[in-house]
């Protein structure tokens, strides 16, 4: 399956993913770009398509301040620039990445806590299956939820 909108999961042919038809899902580096309302809609959509007991693995940045987000993006841009200079990624990759991130962050910057994410997940039919691991100096996290 793929998605045209993370809150409205559809298959490649455009048909909706059937209720309780997915045995597991992963969401990586998306939640921090969504508003709290969209995060809630994401968990509702995941609850609809996942089978009972199915895992939902999530890794994302956990922003507490706009400055932390800017620092993270700066490090990503610096690494991308190094790869660009060495020829490991196409020319212009850093500018494309910066442009895309700037558009996304301007549309719906999210700065909320990990406990808020867990609260939203629990309110939408999930429990914590694997306790979180924090990365990037606790600016990011990895957690596995389970559909109840």
């Amino acid at each position: 399956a793929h998605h045209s909108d993370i809150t409205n999961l559809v298959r490649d042919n455009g048909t909706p993913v059937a209720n309780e038809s997915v045995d597991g899902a992963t969401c990586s580096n998306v939640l921090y770009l969504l508003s709290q309302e969209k995060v809630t809609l994401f968990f509702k959509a995941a609850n609809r398509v996942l089978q009972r007991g199915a895992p939902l693995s999530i890794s994302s940045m956990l922003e507490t301040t706009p400055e932390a987000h800017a620092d993270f993006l700066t490090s990503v841009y610096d690494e991308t620039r190094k790869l660009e200079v060495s020829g490991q990624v196409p020319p212009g990759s850093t500018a494309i990445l910066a442009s895309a991130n700037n558009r996304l962050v301007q549309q719906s910057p999210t700065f909320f806590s990990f406990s808020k994410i867990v609260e939203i997940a629990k309110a939408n039919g999930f429990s914590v299956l694997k306790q979180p691991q924090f990365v990037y100096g606790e600016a990011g996290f990895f957690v596995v939820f389970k559909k109840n």
Side-chain angles (χ1 to χ4, degrees), residues 80-134:
T80 305
R81 196 172 297 109
K82 288 176 191 173
L83 294 171
E84 193 174 329
V85 168
S86 69
Q88 295 179 50
V89 298
S93 294
T94 305
I96 292 167
L97 178 65
S99 175
N101 273 312
N102 286 337
R103 276 195 318 276
L104 288 168
V105 170
Q106 287 171 4
Q107 289 173 7
S108 59
T110 300
F111 302 104
F112 54 89
S113 68
F114 178 75
S115 61
K116 187 63 174 176
I117 293 168
V118 171
E119 178 186 317
I120 293 168
K122 287 182 175 180
N124 288 283
F126 289 89
S127 56
V128 176
L129 180 63
K130 179 177 174 21
Q131 290 301 313
Q133 296 175 338
F134 293 92

Side-chain angles (χ1 to χ4, degrees), residues 30-89:
V30 173
L31 294 187
Y32 78 99
L33 297 170
L34 303 176
S35 67
Q36 187 171 318
E37 177 186 354
K38 288 266 187 174
V39 170
T40 299
L41 292 173
F42 162 73
F43 277 106
K44 286 181 180 187
N47 185 297
R48 181 184 69 76
V49 302
L50 287 171
Q51 298 168 358
R52 179 176 292 279
L56 173 60
S57 303
I58 297 177
S59 62
S60 189
M61 294 305 298
L62 182 63
E63 301 305 332
T64 54
T65 66
E67 293 79 18
H69 186 242
D71 290 346
F72 168 71
L73 289 179
T74 297
S75 69
V76 170
Y77 300 152
D78 289 347
E79 287 302 312
T80 305
R81 196 172 297 109
K82 288 176 191 173
L83 294 171
E84 193 174 329
V85 168
S86 69
Q88 295 179 50
V89 298

